[in-house]
Amino acid sequence: MILSAGFTFHLGIGNWINYGFFAFFSTLAVYNGQRIFKTEQLNKTPWLDWVKQNRRALIFVVITSSIAALACLISVLTFNWSTIPILAISGMISVLYVIKVRGVNMREIPYLKIHLIAISWTLVLIVFPIANESIDASALYYGFAHYLFVIGVTIPFDIRDLKHDSTKHKTIPQVGGVTNAKAIGTLSIFVFAVLI
């Protein structure tokens, strides 16, 4: 029996649905929080103007989804000390992805943007549950596979962002071109499928 966000589930899947809700609500909070933070930047876009106009609603989304994420985290947390650095690293990546330290945020560091996304997703979706449930460390093999999956599905967004990203970011499409980026994305998904 699982108690999650006020609902009781009898699905025989242990805490896994709560891990999914934790990832969902965390992502919702972080993504919208990043957008609110970006409205203070000098580069104005129609999307950021919309965010600014709907700031109150988005703040409400960030607060409620943060509370829901915390509730889901508390419901699964076993206080295994190895989970603290995992959550700290993924949280730090999420915050420093947009907040500048010494005039630069993590997404602006050359070659790093896509890897930050893949690392944070892999930590939250694979590594944290494995460590928290004290599953055999050999299961971390799935972490590498999912890292490749996230790389593969993120490359199209880097292609889309070519016109917005600074050339200093050195994303895969900027460095290797769109055709090679598509090939790397396809190869990443293929290797993921083979590993899984």
Side-chain angles (χ1 to χ4, degrees):
M1 183 169 80
I2 303 167
L3 185 63
S4 174
F7 299 100
T8 303
F9 299 94
H10 300 276
L11 301 175
I13 55 174
N15 287 329
W16 297 108
I17 197 162
N18 290 3
Y19 286 110
F21 281 133
F22 168 67
F24 172 79
F25 288 120
S26 297
T27 303
L28 191 60
V30 167
Y31 187 81
N32 285 292
Q34 288 176 347
R35 295 305 165 270
I36 292 168
F37 180 80
K38 280 185 170 184
T39 60
E40 304 305 319
Q41 296 177 353
L42 296 175
N43 298 336
K44 300 300 179 189
T45 65
W47 168 239
L48 289 180
D49 287 340
W50 182 91
V51 170
K52 199 165 196 171
Q53 292 167 5
N54 295 280
R55 186 179 178 91
R56 276 193 184 163
L58 291 175
I59 289 172
F60 175 77
V61 169
V62 170
I63 291 170
T64 55
S65 56
S66 295
I67 292 168
L70 183 60
C72 292
L73 177 62
I74 290 169
S75 74
V76 298
L77 203 55
T78 61
F79 297 101
N80 179 339
W81 288 106
S82 64
T83 60
I84 293 171
I86 295 166
L87 292 173
I89 291 168
S90 58
M92 188 175 68
I93 290 171
S94 298
V95 170
L96 297 179
Y97 190 76
V98 293
I99 293 178
K100 293 189 177 192
V101 176
R102 295 185 179 173
V104 68
N105 57 38
M106 290 181 81
R107 76 184 300 271
E108 294 173 339
I109 298 171
Y111 306 103
L112 199 55
K113 181 180 167 187
I114 197 167
H115 300 289
L116 292 171
I117 296 166
I119 288 167
S120 61
W121 275 103
T122 302
L123 288 175
V124 170
L125 294 175
I126 308 298
V127 180
F128 167 62
I130 287 171
N132 194 53
E133 298 288 332
S134 299
I135 296 171
D136 190 305
S138 64
L140 290 173
Y141 165 87
Y142 292 103
F144 177 69
H146 283 82
Y147 173 84
L148 291 175
F149 174 78
V150 176
I151 293 285
V153 299
T154 305
I155 285 175
F157 295 99
D158 278 346
I159 293 170
R160 178 201 64 191
D161 292 345
L162 269 172
K163 58 183 176 265
H164 303 294
D165 283 342
S166 165
T167 54
K168 295 176 185 175
H169 292 177
K170 304 290 185 197
T171 63
I172 292 173
Q174 288 174 338
V175 173
V178 171
T179 302
N180 288 334
K182 288 178 181 179
I184 290 168
T186 303
L187 181 62
S188 296
I189 298 294
F190 176 76
V191 174
F192 160 78
V194 169
L195 291 175
I196 292 299

